[in-house]
Amino acid sequence: MKKLKYALFTGCTARQSTPEQMMSTLAVAKKLDIELIELTEASCCGASHLQDYDDFLSLVLNARNIAYAEKHGLTMVTICNTCQLNTAMTKHRLDKNSELKAKVNEKLAEVGLEYKGTSNVIHFLYAIIDDFGLDKIKKMVVKPLSQFNIAPFYGCHNIRPSELHDESHKQKENPYNPTSLDDLIIACGAMSVEYEEKNKCCGFHVELQAPHTASVLTGNAIAGATDNNADMMVTPCPLCHLKLDTQTKHASEAIGREVSLPVLHMQQMVGLALGCTPAELGLKHHVTDVNFV
Amino acid sequence: MSTNKITTQKVNFKVFRFNADEDYLPYYEDYSLDVTSEEVVLDILNRIKWDYDGSFSYRRSCRHGICGACAIKVNGRSTLACKESMSTMIEYFGNDLTIEPLSIKRAVKDMIIDKADFWEKHAAVTPYLVADIDETPMSENLVSPHDAEELNEADLCIQCGACHYACPAVEINSDFFGPAAFAAAYRFEADVRDSDGERLINVNEEKQGVWDCVKCFECTEVCPKHINPFEKITKLHQMAFKKGVAKNNVATRHAVGFLHSIRKHGMLDEGGLVLYSEGPAIVKHIPVALQMFRKGKIVMPWNMPKSGNLDEIQKLIKSSSTVKF
Ligand code: SF4
Ligand code: SF4
Ligand code: FES
């Protein structure tokens, strides 16, 4: 197989509050011999919040990010569900509306850039599963996580709106019964846990303005995983991770029950199975201790 | 005519039963039926009533996706029974299907629920045109095709409640108006003839308004009329800024804070954003922030990463901004 190569859009979180996510992404890419060219020029995607304020500006900034991936002639991979949503949504809107695309390009021309629509935007989870291949990963596993029940937490913006997911990625994902992360868990040798909240919202986006709603959602998710015998959770989204890993106290208070589980980033889980060390995967950066390795 | 061959398969149904007048607790009845690829969910409800138990109750009227009466849940997914094909349900969930009302806690009899909260919230957003109408006009009041397009598909809502009872924010925060009410509010806010000054303010209030939406896209995913309520919610946010009615509160500052951060660093300054949004209330975040700091999760201001070619980003912000706060 030709060596896989992507333009990496890190997003902001991986460079700040989830350093372990950046470390584990690079460690896994190295193990799988995937080349990642970091888009150091990229700006924040707006996280669906700048979008509430200034729609056009958000489009211009995201189109600029994609334009840099296009310059490399590479597919862009994201490592955050919300980056994926906002980048893929920008692509979707510009590719469908030539008038809007022209308006955006008029602005980008001021800085010598152009959005063409030639680069796909996919989440790293699907790069691993669809492009690299689950079977190949399975064969590379040196430390199967066979003693663990792992609860997949998909995060909204990778699976909804499903139309956007299916347009961006090679394989469809059923938003009511997603399977990609379950399949990856099984490929890593672990048992995947079935529970009601696996495709539900973690509440991250309203943590400041509606803390109660946010905390109940987080609490329900961890409780659902716990009640179905999960030893830990795994997520492809750093924002879900922040919520599930750092907000357990508020979550417990909101649902009136102590909840807390170790939460892995998808990359960390794969990294562990492929034999990366806890240090390479940044496990010490978790607030809820990852105490099983 | 479709050339697809009609296929039949066995499906096991678990059907929610409850009569608020008689039952202390709900229970489930099992049915195993041969389902053809031509049937919709409503056909199954009908067959259960007609062939097995005449007391089984559900709402339906038009059978054409117009009246909005027949929405129920299949395996937890809100579904318009007369429109949703059984093949799609089997594709989504396999051959074991659970049939439930839109909201179990609002169940009155079997699939029939008390939708009072839905209608109250709908009424609360002034879901009608507020305009000074000349009752004897000398000429037609024309709306240009361009202006009419602004309504998008918001006009097509059949008030089925599928989105409302799929919305996690509605479930947790009983003040929250919910996606259908917001779609209705957008429908009239986007209407050039409307002159109501209160509606937009009302739907931007904390707790009840658009700012408590968790951005989960559940509403968009389930809407049988493809209305995309989430998109309408985003537009209501934007309109509040554009029309200058956005209040200065933690929610609006959270949105505007992204702009400040991106202008300064290209990236989001996470700590800076919380400080800008919360103001003095930031103290409540200190315990978690300390825990995060100990785990190396907080970047100090002097170490804030910056985007390459930041000057480009700043230039684009200057030339492409369309709103002021
Ligand atoms: S996107 Fe917002 S309105 Fe729609 S279901 Fe989620 S919380 Fe409710
Ligand atoms: S927006 Fe769609 S799902 Fe919601 S009530 Fe209207 S038609 Fe039903
Ligand atoms: S019966 Fe009228 S919408 Fe289904």
Side-chain angles (χ1 to χ4, degrees):
Chain A
M1 190 175 82
K2 226 176 96 205
K3 180 173 168 148
L4 293 172
K5 189 172 171 185
Y6 303 101
L8 172 67
F9 176 37
T10 65
C12 306
T13 313
R15 309 264 309 268
Q16 291 174 68
S17 53
T18 57
E20 73 280 6
Q21 198 221 2
M22 189 72 195
M23 298 164 74
S24 54
T25 300
L26 299 180
V28 165
K30 198 170 152 203
K31 279 267 184 222
L32 301 180
D33 196 26
I34 295 175
E35 190 176 344
L36 298 176
I37 309 289
E38 193 183 328
L39 294 172
T40 51
E41 307 89 351
S43 72
C44 171
C45 72
S48 312
H49 297 291
L50 184 66
Q51 282 73 2
D52 286 343
Y53 178 61
D54 194 332
D55 185 53
F56 184 67
L57 177 62
S58 330
L59 284 174
V60 170
L61 292 175
N62 280 302
R64 175 180 171 275
N65 292 346
I66 306 172
Y68 272 103
E70 291 178 354
K71 268 183 142 185
H72 289 287
L74 295 172
T75 292
M76 178 196 270
V77 294
T78 60
I79 49 175
C80 166
N81 289 21
T82 298
C83 293
Q84 174 65 29
L85 167 76
N86 289 301
T87 316
M89 187 64 93
T90 300
K91 180 176 170 56
H92 169 90
R93 287 175 61 192
L94 298 187
D95 291 353
K96 288 238 153 28
N97 183 341
S98 51
E99 208 180 305
L100 188 61
K101 183 170 151 185
K103 270 193 200 154
V104 165
N105 271 331
E106 201 180 295
K107 299 296 173 191
L108 290 181
E110 292 169 12
V111 295
L113 290 168
E114 187 191 352
Y115 170 84
K116 297 196 183 78
T118 50
S119 282
N120 278 339
V121 181
I122 64 173
H123 190 286
F124 193 44
L125 169 66
Y126 299 102
I128 290 183
I129 291 179
D130 298 341
D131 295 354
F132 190 85
L134 273 177
D135 289 341
K136 273 174 71 192
I137 294 198
K138 225 179 263 173
K139 285 194 197 113
M140 291 173 70
V141 167
V142 290
K143 281 196 180 157
L145 307 174
S146 42
Q147 65 274 49
F148 299 116
N149 295 326
I150 307 184
F153 192 77
Y154 282 82
C156 301
H157 295 164
N158 250 6
I159 56 175
R160 283 182 297 269
S162 56
E163 201 193 336
L164 190 65
H165 172 96
D166 296 348
E167 192 181 291
S168 313
H169 299 98
K170 279 195 190 133
Q171 302 208 38
K172 283 188 169 199
E173 182 92 276
N174 175 349
Y176 299 100
N177 190 14
T179 50
S180 59
L181 201 48
D182 290 80
D183 294 344
L184 191 61
I185 291 170
I186 293 163
C188 291
M191 291 282 286
S192 86
V193 173
E194 194 52 51
Y195 67 117
E196 212 185 296
E197 290 78 12
K198 75 177 189 182
N199 57 351
K200 298 281 167 4
C201 178
C202 73
F204 179 87
H205 288 281
V206 295
E207 193 171 305
L208 298 185
Q209 61 262 41
H212 178 70
T213 301
S215 297
V216 170
L217 289 171
T218 305
N220 287 347
I222 308 176
T226 308
D227 292 346
N228 288 283
N229 294 323
D231 301 306
M232 65 185 99
M233 299 173 81
V234 65
T235 178
C237 179
L239 308 183
C240 295
H241 189 273
L242 277 171
K243 205 79 186 67
L244 299 165
D245 175 53
T246 74
Q247 297 289 334
T248 50
K249 187 167 164 284
H250 294 142
S252 302
E253 281 162 12
I255 65 164
R257 168 183 167 189
E258 266 319 304
V259 284
S260 166
L261 275 179
V263 189
L264 294 180
H265 295 276
M266 172 276 291
Q267 297 90 324
Q268 291 176 318
M269 174 182 76
V270 175
L272 284 172
L274 297 181
C276 298
T277 65
E280 283 174 301
L281 301 172
L283 292 180
K284 65 169 194 209
H285 290 297
H286 293 223
V287 166
T288 305
D289 286 333
V290 181
N291 44 18
F292 49 82
V293 276
Chain B
M1 240 189 79
S2 159
T3 49
N4 284 350
K5 228 180 109 223
I6 300 170
T7 56
T8 302
Q9 52 184 313
K10 181 104 24 253
V11 178
N12 305 313
F13 294 95
K14 244 179 84 188
V15 182
F16 177 93
R17 303 299 305 267
F18 180 62
N19 181 346
D21 288 338
E22 292 171 6
D23 302 329
Y24 179 58
L25 285 175
Y27 58 98
Y28 288 81
E29 206 98 67
D30 293 330
Y31 300 95
S32 195
L33 303 180
D34 287 322
V35 173
T36 75
S37 51
E38 281 203 314
E39 285 179 292
V40 293
V41 175
L42 182 61
D43 292 322
I44 305 302
L45 303 185
N46 285 337
R47 281 167 61 190
I48 292 173
K49 186 176 181 73
W50 297 340
D51 299 347
Y52 294 90
D53 184 347
S55 75
F56 179 54
S57 305
Y58 49 93
R59 287 190 176 118
R60 91 276 177 276
S61 177
C62 70
R63 222 226 67 175
H64 280 288
I66 292 298
C67 71
C70 66
I72 58 160
K73 278 189 178 168
V74 177
N75 284 34
R77 179 198 191 258
S78 300
T79 300
L80 200 62
C82 70
K83 190 165 176 259
E84 197 64 77
S85 84
M86 281 305 299
S87 325
T88 311
M89 291 297 94
I90 294 167
E91 186 193 317
Y92 270 162
F93 302 116
N95 292 48
D96 293 308
L97 298 179
T98 305
I99 307 279
E100 287 169 326
L102 270 186
S103 167
I104 287 181
K105 72 180 183 202
R106 294 172 180 85
V108 177
K109 187 157 190 299
D110 305 332
M111 298 301 120
I112 298 175
I113 63 162
D114 179 353
K115 246 170 106 174
D117 69 313
F118 176 87
W119 295 116
E120 274 160 29
K121 285 163 173 176
H122 185 250
V125 301
T126 327
Y128 45 82
L129 198 70
V130 178
D132 242 344
I133 304 273
D134 179 359
E135 284 176 16
T136 51
M138 297 306 286
S139 62
E140 263 183 286
N141 277 315
L142 292 178
V143 175
S144 74
H146 175 267
D147 287 341
E149 261 169 37
E150 279 303 300
L151 307 186
N152 295 332
E153 23 340 84
D155 216 13
L156 303 179
C157 175
I158 57 172
Q159 275 105 40
C160 68
C163 59
H164 187 80
Y165 297 110
C167 171
V170 165
E171 217 31 48
I172 298 170
N173 166 6
S174 58
D175 294 323
F176 188 63
F177 286 152
F182 293 135
Y186 172 79
R187 153 70 188 81
F188 294 100
E189 277 305 311
D191 193 316
V192 285
R193 299 165 299 177
D194 188 82
S195 60
D196 182 74
E198 295 300 313
R199 188 189 300 109
L200 189 58
I201 298 173
N202 194 26
V203 297
N204 270 277
E205 289 294 348
E206 286 173 277
K207 216 75 187 143
Q208 63 191 35
V210 283
W211 293 100
D212 278 42
C213 161
V214 302
K215 302 182 185 291
C216 67
F217 286 88
E218 297 270 12
C219 51
T220 295
E221 198 62 46
V222 296
C223 175
K225 300 303 250 187
H226 306 290
I227 282 166
N228 196 350
F230 177 77
E231 182 206 51
K232 311 298 175 283
I233 290 170
T234 307
K235 291 192 181 222
L236 288 169
H237 285 118
Q238 294 162 1
M239 283 174 160
F241 286 113
K242 279 223 168 87
K243 297 195 179 168
V245 302
K247 294 204 169 137
N248 184 349
N249 59 30
V250 59
T252 54
R253 287 194 300 270
H254 185 217
V256 183
F258 273 79
L259 176 67
H260 295 309
S261 213
I262 296 171
R263 187 188 285 135
K264 206 161 154 197
H265 310 283
M267 316 208 86
L268 176 68
D269 168 2
E270 295 171 331
L273 177 74
V274 179
L275 178 62
Y276 178 81
S277 310
E278 292 280 20
I282 191 155
V283 288
K284 65 175 180 239
H285 297 289
I286 289 177
V288 173
L290 276 176
Q291 283 180 314
M292 289 175 67
F293 179 75
R294 269 185 236 118
K295 300 293 184 157
K297 281 175 145 340
I298 302 240
V299 170
M300 286 296 142
W302 50 89
N303 286 329
M304 244 316 284
K306 281 199 196 305
S307 304
N309 301 356
L310 182 58
D311 54 322
E312 278 176 23
I313 295 169
Q314 290 165 337
K315 200 166 164 192
L316 288 172
I317 290 178
K318 243 195 207 125
S319 74
S320 311
S321 286
T322 59
V323 201
K324 271 211 165 63
F325 181 53

